[in-house]
Amino acid sequence: MEVARTIRIAPSVLDADFGRLAEQIATVEAAGADALHLDVMDGHFVPNLSLGVPVVAGIRRHTQLFLDTHLMITDPGKYAPAFADAGAGSITFHIETVDQPRQLIRQIRALGVKVGVSLNPGTPAEAVLDVLEHVDILLVMTVWPGFGGQRFMGECLEKIAVLAKRMRPEQWLEVDGGITVEMAPRAVAAGANTLVAGSAIFGTPDPAAALHALRRAATGAPRKAEQTA
Ligand code: DX5
Ligand code: ZN
């Protein structure tokens, strides 16, 4: 029998209206978002720039939400302390960027934040096996990082399933990229317990309704239960 799991939804602000960021965040916070996903890009590890330390600090002043910080940057160790100071709740780095992941995990944990490791669609599950037991979050990319609004890569589902079997229930298995109401149940069926969604929430005229729809799709919860929650 399938065991019911709590599925966390973490809206990514990458597709939000940055001119009204606090308002957009307040909307998803009121709608029951479980965390806020912050995509940090350096124009080097990924071919795009996004937000940095001052934006994280500014967001911290305007929300109670847990700040799930995804560093798509070449030198995560150098900048992790600044993001921790800015109020990140977790700091996730890419396995492709480091030679000594265990050392970086210890270094990030010493900053008093949760630690995550991420892997690109082209990186095999084996690349994170040695560090899996030491992290709080495993972030599986289901698009090539750098841009919101891309299509979910179905070929990553098998990797999610392989890694899910090796994780403890309290660890976040977070799936990032192309999550929609169609793909959310497939990611959850593969073992995800946390879903990042950017364009599927902020790319719609009603982000709160979109978040509710994603949660319904991910959990199969009836509409009525959610409205009274
Ligand atoms: C991509 C980012 C994602 C992105 C998700 O590089 O890591 O978090 O914002 O956006 P959607 O949900 O539109 O794929
Ligand atoms: Zn992300």
Side-chain angles (χ1 to χ4, degrees), residues 39-41 50-57 83 86:
D39 287 307
V40 177
M41 304 180 186
S50 57
L51 53 88
V53 172
V55 178
V56 176
F83 283 103

Side-chain angles (χ1 to χ4, degrees), residues 12 14 37-41 68-72 94 139 141 145 174 176-177 196:
S12 160
L14 196 58
H37 185 80
L38 303 178
D39 287 307
V40 177
M41 304 180 186
D68 167 37
T69 310
H70 178 191
L71 300 186
M72 285 162 277
H94 269 261
L139 178 62
M141 290 304 305
E174 187 170 26
D176 185 9
V196 174

Side-chain angles (χ1 to χ4, degrees), residues 70-113:
H70 178 191
L71 300 186
M72 285 162 277
I73 67 177
T74 300
D75 196 349
K78 181 174 176 188
Y79 296 99
F83 283 103
D85 279 352
S90 61
I91 294 181
T92 295
F93 67 91
H94 269 261
I95 194 73
E96 299 86 1
T97 63
V98 287
D99 294 327
Q100 306 278 348
R102 291 284 297 278
Q103 198 177 311
L104 182 57
I105 289 166
R106 277 195 294 273
Q107 192 190 325
I108 294 175
R109 203 174 284 294
L111 299 169
V113 297

Side-chain angles (χ1 to χ4, degrees), residues 38-222:
L38 303 178
D39 287 307
V40 177
M41 304 180 186
D42 65 353
H44 190 258
F45 177 65
V46 290
N48 199 7
L49 295 164
S50 57
L51 53 88
V53 172
V55 178
V56 176
I59 290 173
R60 181 69 293 161
R61 290 194 290 274
H62 289 276
T63 180
Q64 300 297 314
L65 284 170
F66 181 85
L67 301 183
D68 167 37
T69 310
H70 178 191
L71 300 186
M72 285 162 277
I73 67 177
T74 300
D75 196 349
K78 181 174 176 188
Y79 296 99
F83 283 103
D85 279 352
S90 61
I91 294 181
T92 295
F93 67 91
H94 269 261
I95 194 73
E96 299 86 1
T97 63
V98 287
D99 294 327
Q100 306 278 348
R102 291 284 297 278
Q103 198 177 311
L104 182 57
I105 289 166
R106 277 195 294 273
Q107 192 190 325
I108 294 175
R109 203 174 284 294
L111 299 169
V113 297
K114 294 197 181 300
V115 188
V117 66
S118 181
L119 71 175
N120 280 341
T123 303
E126 290 70 37
V128 294
L129 289 185
D130 282 352
V131 298
L132 204 48
E133 65 176 300
H134 303 288
V135 296
D136 304 295
I137 299 172
L138 171 71
L139 178 62
V140 179
M141 290 304 305
T142 44
V143 298
W144 283 97
F147 300 91
Q150 304 180 73
R151 272 177 72 94
F152 186 98
M153 296 171 66
E155 58 268 40
C156 299
L157 285 167
E158 201 182 313
K159 181 160 68 180
I160 296 169
V162 165
L163 289 165
K165 289 199 186 78
R166 295 174 176 259
M167 293 179 69
R168 302 184 299 276
E170 74 275 14
Q171 289 178 301
W172 289 20
L173 201 178
E174 187 170 26
V175 171
D176 185 9
I179 289 290
T180 58
V181 287
E182 289 76 31
M183 298 317 300
R186 295 183 63 186
V188 170
N193 57 30
T194 307
L195 302 175
V196 174
S199 52
I201 291 178
F202 289 113
T204 70
D206 188 345
L211 193 153
H212 292 151
L214 267 183
R215 192 183 293 289
R216 261 196 316 275
T219 60

